[in-house]
Amino acid sequence: MSDEVLHSVRTLLPKIAERARSADEERRVPEETIRELVGAGVFRMLQPRRYSGAEGDPVRFFEVVREISAVCGSTGWLVSVLGVHAWQLGLFADAAQAEVWGDDPDVLVSSSYAPVGRLTPVEGGYRVSGRWRFSSGCEHASWALVGGLVVGDQGRPVDFMTVLVPRTDYAIEDVWDVIGLRGTASNDLLVEDVFVPGHRAMRNYEQAQLRGPGQKVNTGPLYRMPFGSMFTTTITAPVIGMAAGCYRSYVTAMRDRVRLSLGGGRFAEDQFAQVAVARAASEIDAAVLQTDRNIREVHEHAVKGEPIPMELRLRVRRDQVRATERALEAIDILFKTAGGSSLSRGNPIERAWRDAHAGSVHVANDVERALAMYGKGEFGLAIEDNLV
């Protein structure tokens, strides 16, 4: 099914590319695009087979994400984030999965994981309140995963959890007016004192330890992969795709360009331009090769039923943040050497530059923190982080 999805997506790319500018200007990926991607099975690539999903190869999923991101950064970002939520929901209790997908396996879930919510234990579950920012694609989703701190009797936090809430239990506030990834409509979610049953809550510690309740029913290797590896790659894969798309647009636009300054002549014959293309291409290739290698190795360990070594988890994070850096380096080289032709608002090079830099500020792309963790691991120091 993964190959079929990739083939279907490739037939959709020209239309998605045509709508990229309107998605950027209207601050929303068109419903038509979402319907087409749903029909192609994109959002079910990581979904459990028990609920009509492909339960497929995560490396192929990230390849699909990159290809879509290459023609529209906002659309690729939504595919990556909404698509990985189908995987994460597979870690929840089966009762929660049934609520979401029981009647319609194409239902989408958005998220905002920051622990800004307040969870008060009550009989059978929790009372939840909070305001969450940056919920990408929330207007296309019927449910949301939100983070919160469980408050004990003394009013102090005693645990960190992710809870699942239906669209009827939260309001969406349209606040998304930003420089890049404008089409993701990553708006705010507001929840005011709603009840969330216990089966729709999961401790982040259990998730990090690969002990989610959903793993009792979804026993395939896909659901034995760490959240810290899957979700962080979800954030970097679109940025790599944006860089690849920028590269293609750059080569196409500059191949026949004739300089009007600096002595004239064809741009393509300028040695400095040739070097810039080589550097950008190498950075993009390195980003793809490292991230694909790491996810493939994690998946292979899961297929064999082996524990995921901490050394591999740390390498995933190291190369994931470096892949984002490499993608940005490639785009910056291309943007700069394209000169004034890259400044016109809405052209593919300019939009990719904005989208990639916007994606790079996500907390999963905190380069120094991730690299420091890798260094601590190499020196044998203890590491405590839910994104590993």
Side-chain angles (χ1 to χ4, degrees), residues 63-76:
E63 180 182 0
V64 168
V65 168
R66 292 195 303 265
E67 294 222 9
I68 296 172
S69 303
V71 298
C72 178
S74 289
T75 302

Side-chain angles (χ1 to χ4, degrees), residues 75-212:
T75 302
W77 185 272
L78 289 194
V79 166
S80 199
V81 173
L82 297 179
V84 86
H85 292 155
W87 169 82
Q88 188 186 8
L89 184 55
L91 307 180
F92 273 72
D94 190 42
Q97 298 175 52
E99 279 190 84
V100 176
W101 292 319
D103 295 327
D104 182 1
D106 287 319
V107 167
L108 301 178
V109 181
S110 71
S111 73
S112 183
Y113 295 112
V116 296
R118 181 184 178 93
L119 280 60
T120 304
V122 295
E123 183 177 356
Y126 303 88
R127 302 299 303 186
V128 179
S129 295
R131 180 191 186 103
W132 291 265
R133 302 178 65 193
F134 310 125
S135 186
S136 298
C138 55
E139 293 184 358
H140 303 292
S142 302
W143 293 76
L145 293 159
V146 294
L149 297 175
V150 179
V151 180
D153 294 337
Q154 304 299 319
R156 296 177 180 176
V158 295
D159 208 349
F160 179 10
M161 305 190 77
T162 298
V163 298
L164 178 68
V165 292
R167 179 66 184 84
T168 51
D169 283 353
Y170 59 87
I172 298 174
E173 186 170 341
D174 186 355
V175 298
W176 191 248
D177 190 4
V178 292
I179 188 172
L181 293 177
R182 290 173 55 79
T184 62
S186 302
N187 288 308
D188 289 6
L189 306 182
L190 286 78
V191 174
E192 294 185 10
D193 192 31
V194 302
F195 173 71
V196 174
H199 67 267
R200 285 203 253 121
M202 183 165 58
R203 296 182 65 213
N204 283 36
Y205 178 78
E206 290 182 350
Q207 179 175 262
Q209 298 298 313
L210 307 183
R211 295 204 300 263

Side-chain angles (χ1 to χ4, degrees), residues 232-275:
T232 58
T233 304
T234 292
I235 299 304
T236 288
V239 179
I240 300 172
M242 295 167 205
C246 182
Y247 178 84
R248 295 173 202 163
S249 297
Y250 176 94
V251 172
T252 299
M254 308 303 281
R255 181 179 286 121
D256 298 320
R257 178 185 170 190
V258 177
R259 289 189 184 277
L260 300 178
S261 59
L262 300 177
R266 293 183 63 219
F267 182 86
E269 295 174 351
D270 185 330
Q271 185 177 23
F272 294 103
Q274 296 161 359
V275 170

